[in-house]
C-alpha cells in the first residue's frame, strides 16, 4: 500500500463448456487500469501461440496447437503489476492507496469477446457506420442467457487466494481465513471459499479495527459471526449496521432460503467513492454511505441509512449471490430490485410504516 503498487500472480483454470473443440482463446487485459503485464501463458510452453495482440484494446488471441476438447481444461497463468507513480491532473487511481485499498477482479484478465468494450452511444456508433445497440441483450437472446450479467467468462467458480500486505494492515478477500503468517515484514492471509461463487471478487487492505457480533439463525440452529472492519474512530454507526445485517439475515433466511455462508464481513473503504457492494461473504462499504452518518432518531424524516444500506447489501447475498439472472434485459430485477425489496421489508419490520 505505501508504494501504491499491486502485484498479482495467479492461475485461472479454464474449462471448455461448449459442445465443440476450441482452437482459439480470447484473453482481454483491463487496459483501462493500465496493467503492466509480466507473463501470461496458456498451459505448458508450446500449448498456444499469440496470434494477435491488440495492445490498444488489450485483446489477445491465442491459437492452440491442439484444440481444447469439450469439457477439457487448461490453466491460464498470469503475472501482472499495477503502480501509481505520482498523481495525474485528474482521474487518479483511488483503489490502490496507502490505507484502504479496494481492488476488484476487474484488475485481472478476462476471457472471450468483451461486449462491454463496444461503443455504446448511438451517435458515436453512427459515425462508424454501426447500428444502435441495445443496452442489454433481449430476454430471448439464448447465447446471452448462457452467462450471468455479473461476468461473461465464467459461471460459478472455485476460489482460493493468498494476499499479502504491510505489517500493520489486514488484507481480506472472499472465503474463509485458512492461514495467517508474517514473513519479511509483511502479513500474509490465505482465504478459501468452501462453495462455488460468482466470478466476482475483491481484495481489501487497511489499518482496521474489528467490531464483532453474531447472528443467531433460529431456523438453522447456528450462529453466524459478523465482523465490521473499520477505520479507528469511525464507531458512530457500527451498531446500526450490525442491526441492519442481523435483521436482513433473519428476514431473508426466513422468507427465501438459508444464508449460504458461515460469516458476514463488512469492510470500510475510503470515501473516494460512496457505495457499498456485496461479494461472497464480503461487503466493502464506503465510509461515506454509513460509517460517518449522523442519524437523528427523533426525526422521522431522517432515515437510518447505515441500517438500510447494510440490509440491502446483506440481501444481495441472496439476490445476485444465490439467484442471478442471465445477461439479458430485466435480469437486474432479480438482483437490485429484490435486494431493495428485501431491505424495504426489513425497514418496515424494524421501523413500521412512515405515517
Ligand atoms: Zn444493490
Amino acid at each position: 500500500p505505501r508504494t501504491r503498487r499491486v502485484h498479482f500472480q495467479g492461475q485461472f483454470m479454464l474449462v471448455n463448456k461448449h459442445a465443440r473443440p476450441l482452437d482459439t482463446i480470447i484473453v482481454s487485459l483491463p487496459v483501462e487500469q493500465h496493467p503492466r503485464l509480466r507473463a501470461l501463458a496458456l498451459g505448458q510452453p508450446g500449448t498456444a501461440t499469440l496470434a494477435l495482440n491488440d495492445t490498444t484494446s488489450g485483446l489477445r488471441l491465442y491459437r492452440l496447437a491442439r484444440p481444447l476438447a469439450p469439457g477439457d481444461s487448461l490453466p491460464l497463468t498470469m503475472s501482472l503489476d499495477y503502480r501509481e507513480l505520482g498523481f495525474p491532473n485528474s482521474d487518479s487511481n483511488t483503489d490502490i492507496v496507502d490505507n484502504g485499498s479496494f481492488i476488484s477482479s476487474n484488475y485481472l484478465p478476462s476471457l472471450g469477446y468483451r461486449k462491454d468494450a463496444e461503443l455504446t452511444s448511438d451517435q458515436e456508433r453512427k459515425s462508424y457506420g454501426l447500428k444502435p445497440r441495445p443496452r442489454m441483450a433481449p430476454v430471448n437472446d439464448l447465447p446471452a442467457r448462457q452467462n450471468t450479467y455479473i461476468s461473461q467468462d465464467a459461471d460459478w467458480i472455485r476460489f482460493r487466494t493468498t494476499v499479502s500486505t504491510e505489517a500493520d494492515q489486514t488484507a481480506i478477500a472472499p472465503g474463509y481465513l485458512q492461514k495467517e503468517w508474517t514473513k519479511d515484514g509483511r502479513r500474509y492471509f490465505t482465504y478459501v471459499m468452501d462453495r462455488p461463487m460468482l466470478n466476482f471478487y475483491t481484495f481489501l487492505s487497511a489499518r482496521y479495527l474489528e467490531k464483532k457480533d453474531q447472528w443467531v439463525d433460529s431456523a438453522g440452529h447456528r450462529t453466524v459471526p459478523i465482523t465490521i472492519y473499520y477505520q479507528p474512530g469511525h464507531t458512530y454507526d457500527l451498531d446500526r449496521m450490525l442491526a441492519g445485517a442481523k435483521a436482513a439475515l433473519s428476514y431473508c433466511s426466513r422468507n427465501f432460503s438459508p444464508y449460504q455462508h458461515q460469516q458476514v464481513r463488512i469492510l470500510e473503504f475510503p470515501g473516494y467513492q460512496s457505495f457499498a457492494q456485496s461479494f461472497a461473504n464480503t461487503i466493502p462499504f464506503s465510509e461515506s454511505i454509513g460509517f460517518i452518518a449522523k442519524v437523528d432518531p427523533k426525526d422521522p424524516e431522517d432515515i437510518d441509512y447505515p441500517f438500510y444500506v447494510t440490509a440491502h447489501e446483506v440481501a444481495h447475498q441472496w439476490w445476485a449471490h444465490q439467484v442471478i439472472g442471465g445477461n439479458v434485459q430485466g435480469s437486474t430485477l432479480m438482483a437490485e430490485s429484490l435486494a431493495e425489496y428485501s431491505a424495504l421489508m426489513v425497514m418496515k419490520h424494524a421501523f413500521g410504516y412512515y405515517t
Side-chain angles (χ1 to χ4, degrees), residues 121-253:
S121 125
D122 286 357
Q123 203 50 45
E124 218 175 333
R125 292 181 67 84
K126 202 176 162 191
S127 64
Y128 287 94
L130 298 166
K131 287 194 192 115
R133 191 192 86 134
R135 201 173 41 79
M136 277 185 101
V139 72
N140 291 323
D141 183 330
L142 290 177
R145 268 162 48 174
Q146 290 177 350
N147 293 309
T148 70
Y149 86 96
I150 292 279
S151 73
Q152 274 94 78
D153 54 357
D155 304 320
W156 303 91
I157 61 164
R158 288 176 296 161
F159 181 77
R160 176 193 182 90
T161 189
T162 295
V163 205
S164 81
T165 187
E166 278 164 23
D168 61 349
Q169 299 204 8
T170 308
I172 294 151
Y176 303 103
L177 184 64
Q178 307 292 308
K179 216 174 130 192
E180 185 191 332
W181 69 99
T182 303
K183 193 183 158 214
D184 300 331
R186 294 181 68 81
R187 282 179 88 187
Y188 288 76
F189 304 83
T190 295
Y191 296 97
V192 179
M193 180 46 83
D194 63 350
R195 51 183 293 129
M197 63 176 217
L198 290 174
N199 183 30
F200 177 61
Y201 43 88
T202 184
F203 305 92
L204 294 105
S205 173
R207 291 178 206 105
Y208 283 126
L209 288 180
E210 295 175 27
K211 169 96 173 175
K212 290 176 192 281
D213 198 349
Q214 62 181 32
W215 168 66
V216 180
D217 179 358
S218 53
H221 310 291
R222 60 169 183 161
T223 53
V224 173
I226 306 172
T227 308
I228 303 182
Y229 295 78
Y230 66 97
Q231 161 75 13
H234 289 185
T235 52
Y236 318 105
D237 296 289
L238 300 181
D239 290 336
R240 296 176 184 283
M241 295 166 74
L242 288 169
K246 286 190 268 189
L249 286 164
S250 294
Y251 180 83
C252 294
S253 57

